[in-house]
């Protein structure tokens, strides 16, 4: 049997105030798909950045061997020259360049400093066929979906004669169809002899695509398992990730019993919104729904159903062109034309895109938490730093945000901890209604449970919660009622007692036009 293609021995990586990796060992066999899983902050991405030269040799302790040779990569280009290519969760593509230009960016087909566009387009077409992309190579990356952009990244890796492909949460932003296509491609690359390392929180994906799985927890290697072995169960992987059994994936919840005479905390009537560019197209079409205090109401739908468009348009009309509809709070019509108006009426929106719209990644935990309600920590228009720090410290402890201090930049936190900061920010504003858009996307099972517990507690305190999610088990586990959407319209309303994945999917795939 051939020796390992990759060995990482006793890797230690320290950042100021935090030991991210502590004596981590990883062994990958040639031609396999090797999964790495663990909670957010377990050290998965940091380990791959050590391997790929993002964290250069000398900035960490330990030894990296690739194809039997000791490697001392000084930067990412050095690792790519050995055939190690990493595709980060945040795609490194230039949106206004073409697919072909992106594939060969920094690796151009050129002679005497002049790019040969004929060679570029010919080779780009060949690589695109290999990954299943049927677009024209001169199509702008901005004009294709996220699923296809992932394929462009893989074609870009193949152009560098990749031997070891590292994919960091490759399906986190993809729908089920695009995720399936990407998994199929990884398996096809395996058949072509390419070794892959995949970081994923989706245990069903790991079961389908991986040969081995290494579990990290708190910066340490817990164990490496053969995915196909009978003893490798989902429960064992979860236990390794979180260090405890999760007998229940969701907090135990007593279904909400609304008061007979109480008006809904939030009611939306006949809400219609047009696409911001194509004004003939309705992205939200005559939608009416309601949520009462103490209730968690879900919204389910496939990609393009209009869930996020509905949420953003209600919250300050931040998406699309408003056509008609009213918003009522506690039975009285309110104006939500702007975000400040919506916030003033006690409505908060936790966006699905926390990095772009939910947080200032360069600022601290403390500043991010206070942003939604600066007036609460200000005196005569000046922010009281002591009060801001005290508030942030309270949330750091109550939300279990893993950071040494509240002065830590949010950009350095793991995805799960960033999401806790977003939730803290809006909880601090003291809303009556929280609209949560994919609140656990890209977060491990342990952090998910903590966020579910926070959401459940908010409902118990009398908050009204609208919960948008692409994960049907999540909606079934958390919600009192679930609305379904398709093509911008409501297609069903299902009480908790009647909700199953099959029932929801049946409603999500029908169109009431």
């Amino acid at each position: 049997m051939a020796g390992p293609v990759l060995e990482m021995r006793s890797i230690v990586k320290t950042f100021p105030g935090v030991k991210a990796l502590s004596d981590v060992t990883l062994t990958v066999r040639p031609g396999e798909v090797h999964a790495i899983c663990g909670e957010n902050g377990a050290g998965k991405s940091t380990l791959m950045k050590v391997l790929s030269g993002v964290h250069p040799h000398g900035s960490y302790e330990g030894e990296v061997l690739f194809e039997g040779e000791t490697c001392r990569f000084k930067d990412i280009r050095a690792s790519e020259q050995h055939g190690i290519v990493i595709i980060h969760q945040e795609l490194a593509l230039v949106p206004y360049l073409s697919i072909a230009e992106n594939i060969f960016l920094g690796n151009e087909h050129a002679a005497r400093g002049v790019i040969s566009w004929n060679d570029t387009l010919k080779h780009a077409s060949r690589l695109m066929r290999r990954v299943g992309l049927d677009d024209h190579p001169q199509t702008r990356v901005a004009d294709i979906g996220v699923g296809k952009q992932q394929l462009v990244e893989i074609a870009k890796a193949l152009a560098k004669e990749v031997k070891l492909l590292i994919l960091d949460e490759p399906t986190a932003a993809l729908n089920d169809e695009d995720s399936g296509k990407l998994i199929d491609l990884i398996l096809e690359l395996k058949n072509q002899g390419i070794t892959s390392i995949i970081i994923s929180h989706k245990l069903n994906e790991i079961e389908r695509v991986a040969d081995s799985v290494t579990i990290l927890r708190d910066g340490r290697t817990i164990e490496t398992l053969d995915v196909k072995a009978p003893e490798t169960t989902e429960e064992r992987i979860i236990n390794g990730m979180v260090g405890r059994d999760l007998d229940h994936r969701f907090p135990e919840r007593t279904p909400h019993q609304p008061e007979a005479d109480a008006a809904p905390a939030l009611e939306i009537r006949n809400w219609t919104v047009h696409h911001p560019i194509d004004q003939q197209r309705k992205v939200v079409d005559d939608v009416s729904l309601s949520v009462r205090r103490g209730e968690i109401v879900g919204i389910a739908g496939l990609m393009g159903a209009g869930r996020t468009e509905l949420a953003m348009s209600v919250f300050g009309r931040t998406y699309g062109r408003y056509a008609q509809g009213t918003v009522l709070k506690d039975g009285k019509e309110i104006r939500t034309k702007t975000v400040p108006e919506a916030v003033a009426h006690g409505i908060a929106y936790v966006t699905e895109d926390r990095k772009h719209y939910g947080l200032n990644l360069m600022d601290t935990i403390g500043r991010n938490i206070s942003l939604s309600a600066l007036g609460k920590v200000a005196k005569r228009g000046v922010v009281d730093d002591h009060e801001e720090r005290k508030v942030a410290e309270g949330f750091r402890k109550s939300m279990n945000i893993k950071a040494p201090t509240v002065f830590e930049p949010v950009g350095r936190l793991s995805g799960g901890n960033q999401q806790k900061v977003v939730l803290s920010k809006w909880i601090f504003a003291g809303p009556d209604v929280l609209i949560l858009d994919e609140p656990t996307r890209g977060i491990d099972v342990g952090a998910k449970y903590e966020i579910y517990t926070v959401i459940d507690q908010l409902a118990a305190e009398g908050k009204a919660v609208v919960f948008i999610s692409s994960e049907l088990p999540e909606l079934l586990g958390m919600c009192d009622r679930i609305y379904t959407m398709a093509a911008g319209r409501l297609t069903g309303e299902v009480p908790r007692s009647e909700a199953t994945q099959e029932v929801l999917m049946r409603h999500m795939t029908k169109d009431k036009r």
Side-chain angles (χ1 to χ4, degrees):
M1 182 177 176
V5 68
L6 171 71
E7 289 184 89
M8 302 183 76
R9 300 173 178 170
S10 304
I11 304 296
V12 177
K13 175 64 181 173
T14 304
F15 296 104
V18 179
K19 182 173 274 191
L21 299 172
S22 180
D23 194 30
V24 172
T25 298
L26 176 69
T27 302
V28 179
R29 301 189 304 269
E32 77 167 337
V33 178
H34 194 109
I36 299 178
C37 64
E39 291 189 274
N40 290 94
K44 307 180 298 294
S45 295
T46 301
L47 184 65
M48 292 302 97
K49 288 177 180 178
V50 167
L51 171 58
S52 60
V54 175
H55 297 317
H57 183 263
S59 69
Y60 62 87
E61 299 172 33
E63 189 177 19
V64 177
L65 288 87
F66 184 65
E67 296 184 324
E69 296 183 7
T70 300
C71 298
R72 299 180 176 88
F73 300 137
K74 63 179 181 179
D75 54 30
I76 198 165
R77 183 175 288 273
S79 68
E80 289 181 348
Q81 287 172 350
H82 281 72
I84 300 172
V85 180
I86 184 169
I87 299 176
H88 296 282
Q89 187 174 353
E90 307 297 328
L91 301 182
L93 299 173
V94 182
Y96 298 109
L97 294 182
S98 69
I99 293 173
E101 287 170 319
N102 271 280
I103 287 174
F104 293 106
L105 191 61
N107 187 31
E108 289 82 2
H109 286 280
R112 299 188 182 92
V114 179
I115 294 174
S116 170
W117 290 109
N118 284 336
D119 284 349
T120 298
L121 294 174
K122 182 174 70 176
H123 286 93
S125 295
R126 179 176 57 81
L127 291 167
M128 289 168 66
R129 285 195 299 271
R130 194 173 167 188
V131 301
L133 262 176
D134 54 5
D135 295 83
H136 194 280
Q138 290 180 307
T139 304
R140 292 191 318 167
V141 162
D143 297 330
I144 61 176
V146 177
K148 290 186 175 183
Q149 289 178 17
Q150 282 281 13
L151 299 181
V152 174
E153 280 279 22
I154 293 176
K156 187 175 173 183
L158 295 175
K160 297 170 183 174
E161 299 183 4
V162 61
K163 297 177 183 176
L164 175 61
L165 181 63
I166 305 165
L167 302 111
D168 190 351
E169 294 288 354
T171 64
L174 303 186
N175 60 30
D176 290 342
E177 182 181 357
D178 286 339
S179 295
K181 289 178 180 177
L182 184 59
I183 294 300
D184 288 340
L185 177 57
I186 295 169
L187 291 170
E188 177 58 31
L189 294 175
K190 174 187 171 181
N191 292 334
Q192 297 172 19
I194 294 174
T195 306
S196 298
I197 296 175
I198 180 171
I199 297 173
S200 180
H201 292 130
K202 300 179 180 179
L203 301 186
N204 60 327
E205 282 184 359
I206 290 174
E207 183 179 350
R208 180 182 168 197
V209 76
D211 300 293
S212 305
V213 56
T214 293
I215 303 167
L216 300 185
R217 184 172 75 235
D218 298 329
R220 297 177 182 273
T221 304
I222 300 303
E223 61 180 340
T224 296
L225 302 169
D226 179 350
V227 172
K228 303 299 186 276
E231 63 270 18
T232 305
T233 61
E234 193 170 289
E235 289 71 24
R236 179 167 175 175
I237 294 173
I238 291 170
N239 181 256
M241 288 169 61
V242 303
R244 62 190 185 279
D245 289 314
L246 286 182
D247 296 327
H248 303 285
R249 297 286 182 88
F250 306 97
E252 289 196 16
R253 176 168 174 75
T254 302
H256 175 73
Q257 299 295 330
E259 296 178 20
D261 300 330
L266 178 72
E267 187 175 2
I268 300 164
R269 293 179 181 171
N270 309 115
W271 197 259
T272 302
V273 177
H274 292 274
H275 190 276
I277 298 174
D278 182 1
Q279 295 181 29
Q280 301 303 310
R281 177 180 155 210
K282 294 178 181 179
V283 290
V284 181
D285 190 359
D286 197 34
V287 168
S288 298
L289 56 80
S290 65
V291 55
R292 298 177 182 274
R293 292 182 183 275
E295 191 178 29
I296 301 176
V297 170
I299 303 181
L302 300 174
M303 190 70 71
R307 299 164 302 163
T308 293
E309 292 83 352
L310 170 65
M312 292 183 68
S313 60
V314 168
F315 186 69
R317 301 187 187 175
T318 48
Y319 181 87
R321 288 182 170 270
Y322 167 82
Q324 68 171 22
T326 55
V327 178
L328 292 88
K329 171 90 178 300
D330 297 322
K332 296 179 180 178
E333 186 174 341
I334 59 171
R335 285 165 50 102
T336 61
K337 287 185 177 181
T338 66
V339 170
E341 280 185 339
V343 173
H345 284 295
I347 301 173
Y349 172 57
V350 176
T351 172
E352 66 173 337
D353 190 348
R354 58 180 173 262
K355 291 182 182 291
H356 286 92
Y357 301 119
L359 296 166
N360 179 347
L361 296 178
M362 294 183 290
D363 218 334
T364 64
I365 294 170
R367 290 287 171 85
N368 272 277
I369 288 174
S370 65
L371 271 176
S372 63
L374 283 173
K376 291 187 174 184
V377 293
K379 295 178 181 177
R380 299 189 181 93
V382 179
V383 172
D384 183 333
D385 290 337
H386 175 74
E387 184 64 23
E388 183 181 60
R389 184 170 64 251
K390 187 170 74 172
V391 167
E393 189 61 39
F395 278 107
R396 185 177 77 89
K397 292 177 180 176
S398 65
M399 298 286 282
N400 193 25
I401 298 170
K402 294 176 182 176
T405 71
V406 296
F407 300 108
E408 189 77 7
V410 167
R412 291 185 185 173
L413 302 181
S414 66
N417 287 302
Q418 287 179 352
Q419 192 67 4
K420 291 176 187 177
V421 174
V422 177
L423 281 169
S424 299
K425 178 179 82 170
W426 286 114
I427 293 170
F428 178 55
D432 300 312
V433 178
L434 283 100
I435 304 172
L436 308 177
D437 195 351
E438 302 284 3
T440 66
R441 171 171 285 172
I443 294 173
D444 64 84
V445 289
K448 278 185 178 184
Y449 188 87
E450 291 180 334
I451 288 174
Y452 295 149
T453 302
V454 171
I455 295 169
D456 211 38
Q457 180 60 37
L458 290 169
E461 292 170 3
K463 310 291 187 187
V465 180
V466 177
F467 195 125
I468 298 170
S469 177
S470 298
E471 297 185 30
L472 297 186
E474 186 169 68
L475 293 172
L476 295 170
M478 288 295 296
C479 299
D480 300 304
R481 287 184 293 126
I482 302 170
Y483 290 101
T484 57
M485 290 186 69
R489 295 181 66 88
L490 280 187
T491 56
E493 179 185 351
V494 185
R496 183 186 184 100
S497 59
E498 299 174 15
T500 65
Q501 293 196 51
E502 292 75 19
V503 167
L504 295 180
M505 188 59 70
R506 193 159 56 244
H507 285 297
M508 289 159 55
T509 52
K510 71 181 180 184
D511 187 351
K512 283 193 173 180
R513 289 185 184 284

